[in-house]
Amino acid sequence: MNILIVDDDKLVGISLKTIIESEPALQVADIGCCGEDAVRLYSEHKPDILLMDIRMDGMTGLDAGEQILRIHPEAKILYLTTFADDEYIVRALKIGAKGYILKQDFESIIPALKAVHAGQSVFGEDIVAKIPSLLSRGQQKNLDDYGITGKEEDIIRGIADGLSNREIAGALYLSEGTIRNSVSVIMDKLGLKRRTQIAIFWYKNAMS
Amino acid sequence: MNILIVDDDKLVGISLKTIIESEPALQVADIGCCGEDAVRLYSEHKPDILLMDIRMDGMTGLDAGEQILRIHPEAKILYLTTFADDEYIVRALKIGAKGYILKQDFESIIPALKAVHAGQSVFGEDIVAKIPSLLSRGQQKNLDDYGITGKEEDIIRGIADGLSNREIAGALYLSEGTIRNSVSVIMDKLGLKRRTQIAIFWYKNAMS
DNA sequence: AATCAGATATGACAAATGTCATATCTTCGT
DNA sequence: ACGAAGATATGACATTTGTCATATCTGATT
């Protein structure tokens, strides 16, 4: 299995090479040290996996990754980072990275490479721990449990889209008064006092 | 490294054992076939990793996992499943599972086990692909970019908590009129028309 | 046919929200 | 000390939102 390493810090690059090549099945194709290197060397070597730092001067690992994945959508990119950073994680996931691990966890680099090669995605503990809190906005509750009807759910969606009663009425071909009444009923059923709380309820609990 | 296998289908359990024990470093401590088995056998063997099916008659793998993690928070649970299912993924992430892979990918089971043992979390491709869309309710935007002041952010939080202007005023020791004015300014800065949209903006974009 | 439940609508009202001009007061820089 | 800038407040007003009693219409039940 061929690995391409890209890291700002050449010493880190060499250390990684040593670690990786301690495993006979793995070879390091090349070592780059900036985003531009990553793009160029990836096309040149077509490695099985690109092991790349996120933070680099000039083109960041994410920008380089995005560019590489545009050209080679099958590329397997595993990001290395010195600390867990939410913003990066989300962007890394979005561009389609295969993983995100901390450099400190050097003993987990080889298993991570193998898992990625086998088609899995790998993430360090700290990183995964952050995802649920972003996802979970509370247990997914079912509006039906509160006796919310279909029409009422439409209205809730309207409120959660930030519409006024008049706008919701227009969208659903009902009168504004009907919406007003219905909003009262909805708040009653959900135990809320203000329309804003309906939107909040939606984003925290339902939102399907 | 000791593995505990739990799967509804005994044949699958035995096949997994065969695959796993083809690797000398790995041994299977035991094989269970239901959620109750999982809980009991986990306490009995304290395996390094619990490899468990999600769908099982009676207690599901998720319920069992939740219970095990309550008693043994350090437990490493790797879920096996026959298909990728959003609901399960989210719940699995929430309870703190270390991974979620498809049974079909049997050649990736061993690397996955090793990566989990090394402290990483492992997810099959299909699964990871779904996370960004769940996460990405818009890029995390910075309120400062809109010229929102600290006090204004407090008010935004109040609105996002569903408070009325009067309640926010009370909480911040300001007059209700001041809050009203401030809300106008906030909507102006964020390009919004209604307070509900402020709450929505908060939940979609900021919420730190 | 008589009745009932539902969805929709209206009007009257109360309360909350949003807009705007303007006023105080403090603080900061010169 | 002077004036500018910022934060807070007020009052007047328009609009939106929420509450409630009541009305109308439809379709289903008996």
Side-chain angles (χ1 to χ4, degrees):
Chain A
M1 180 171 28
N2 259 301
I3 319 286
L4 173 60
I5 296 174
V6 176
D7 197 305
D8 230 12
D9 184 338
K10 294 195 181 175
L11 189 59
V12 172
I14 292 169
S15 313
L16 284 171
K17 180 178 158 82
T18 310
I19 294 173
I20 290 170
E21 295 196 331
S22 72
E23 182 82 9
L26 310 182
Q27 309 121 48
V28 172
D30 209 336
I31 304 182
C33 64
C34 65
E36 290 79 2
D37 277 2
V39 178
R40 185 171 47 79
L41 294 174
Y42 190 93
S43 291
E44 188 175 321
H45 297 289
K46 302 269 174 60
D48 292 306
I49 300 179
L50 167 56
L51 191 60
M52 175 162 55
D53 198 11
I54 289 224
R55 296 214 159 199
M56 290 188 292
D57 295 333
M59 189 190 271
T60 70
L62 288 168
D63 291 333
E66 202 164 8
Q67 199 166 320
I68 291 169
L69 282 161
R70 248 203 311 276
I71 309 171
H72 311 281
E74 77 292 354
K76 292 180 174 174
I77 303 179
L78 186 51
Y79 283 110
L80 283 168
T81 180
T82 30
F83 49 84
D85 185 332
D86 311 44
E87 289 196 36
Y88 292 154
I89 301 166
V90 174
R91 230 193 112 199
L93 284 171
K94 276 198 215 168
I95 69 173
K98 293 287 175 263
Y100 196 106
I101 62 178
L102 296 174
K103 281 185 197 171
Q104 293 94 307
D105 292 351
F106 51 82
E107 79 287 0
S108 67
I109 288 175
I110 289 178
L113 286 169
K114 288 189 177 173
V116 168
H117 191 235
Q120 305 298 302
S121 291
V122 178
F123 300 88
E125 300 246 33
D126 308 355
I127 288 128
V128 178
K130 287 181 182 164
I131 294 177
S133 75
L134 293 170
L135 282 173
S136 73
R137 338 230 154 285
Q139 315 289 21
Q140 217 65 1
K141 280 177 197 157
N142 197 334
L143 288 177
D144 297 347
D145 298 344
Y146 294 88
I148 296 291
T149 68
K151 190 70 73 180
E152 284 165 351
E153 182 169 332
D154 291 342
I155 294 171
I156 292 176
R157 284 173 194 272
I159 292 171
D161 277 346
L163 303 181
S164 68
N165 288 334
R166 187 187 304 276
E167 289 168 331
I168 295 171
L172 300 181
Y173 303 105
L174 296 172
S175 84
E176 189 186 335
T178 303
I179 305 299
R180 277 217 283 268
N181 291 335
S182 200
V183 170
S184 283
V185 173
I186 290 167
M187 291 190 294
D188 203 48
K189 287 182 179 173
L190 299 180
L192 305 175
K193 289 199 176 63
R194 268 173 285 285
R195 93 191 340 249
T196 300
Q197 296 174 339
I198 297 177
I200 296 167
F201 184 94
W202 178 255
Y203 283 99
K204 281 195 172 169
N205 300 313
M207 189 174 44
S208 45
Chain B
M1 182 171 29
N2 258 301
I3 319 286
L4 172 60
I5 296 174
V6 176
D7 197 303
D8 230 12
D9 184 337
K10 295 196 179 175
L11 188 59
V12 172
I14 293 169
S15 313
L16 285 171
K17 180 179 159 83
T18 309
I19 294 172
I20 290 170
E21 296 197 329
S22 72
E23 183 83 9
L26 310 183
Q27 308 122 48
V28 173
D30 209 336
I31 303 182
C33 64
C34 65
E36 289 79 3
D37 277 3
V39 177
R40 184 171 49 77
L41 295 174
Y42 190 93
S43 291
E44 188 176 321
H45 297 289
K46 302 269 173 60
D48 292 304
I49 299 179
L50 167 56
L51 191 60
M52 174 160 57
D53 197 11
I54 288 223
R55 297 214 158 200
M56 290 188 292
D57 295 334
M59 189 189 271
T60 69
L62 289 168
D63 291 333
E66 202 164 8
Q67 199 167 320
I68 290 169
L69 282 161
R70 248 202 312 276
I71 309 171
H72 311 280
E74 76 292 353
K76 291 180 173 172
I77 302 179
L78 187 52
Y79 282 111
L80 283 167
T81 179
T82 29
F83 50 85
D85 184 333
D86 311 45
E87 289 195 37
Y88 291 154
I89 300 167
V90 174
R91 232 194 111 197
L93 284 171
K94 273 198 230 168
I95 68 174
K98 293 286 174 263
Y100 197 105
I101 62 179
L102 297 174
K103 281 184 196 172
Q104 293 93 308
D105 292 351
F106 51 83
E107 80 286 0
S108 66
I109 289 175
I110 289 177
L113 287 170
K114 288 189 177 173
V116 169
H117 191 235
Q120 305 299 303
S121 291
V122 178
F123 299 89
E125 300 246 33
D126 308 355
I127 288 128
V128 178
K130 288 180 181 165
I131 295 176
S133 73
L134 293 171
L135 278 175
S136 73
R137 335 230 155 281
Q139 317 287 21
Q140 215 68 0
K141 281 176 197 158
N142 196 334
L143 287 177
D144 297 346
D145 298 344
Y146 294 87
I148 296 291
T149 68
K151 190 69 74 180
E152 284 165 352
E153 183 168 330
D154 290 343
I155 294 171
I156 293 176
R157 284 173 194 274
I159 292 171
D161 278 345
L163 303 182
S164 67
N165 288 335
R166 187 187 302 275
E167 289 168 329
I168 296 172
L172 301 181
Y173 303 104
L174 296 172
S175 84
E176 189 187 334
T178 302
I179 305 300
R180 277 217 283 268
N181 290 335
S182 200
V183 170
S184 282
V185 173
I186 289 167
M187 290 190 294
D188 203 49
K189 287 181 180 174
L190 299 180
L192 306 175
K193 290 199 175 63
R194 266 172 287 284
R195 97 195 333 254
T196 300
Q197 295 174 339
I198 297 178
I200 296 167
F201 183 96
W202 178 254
Y203 283 100
K204 281 193 172 171
N205 300 313
M207 189 177 42
S208 45

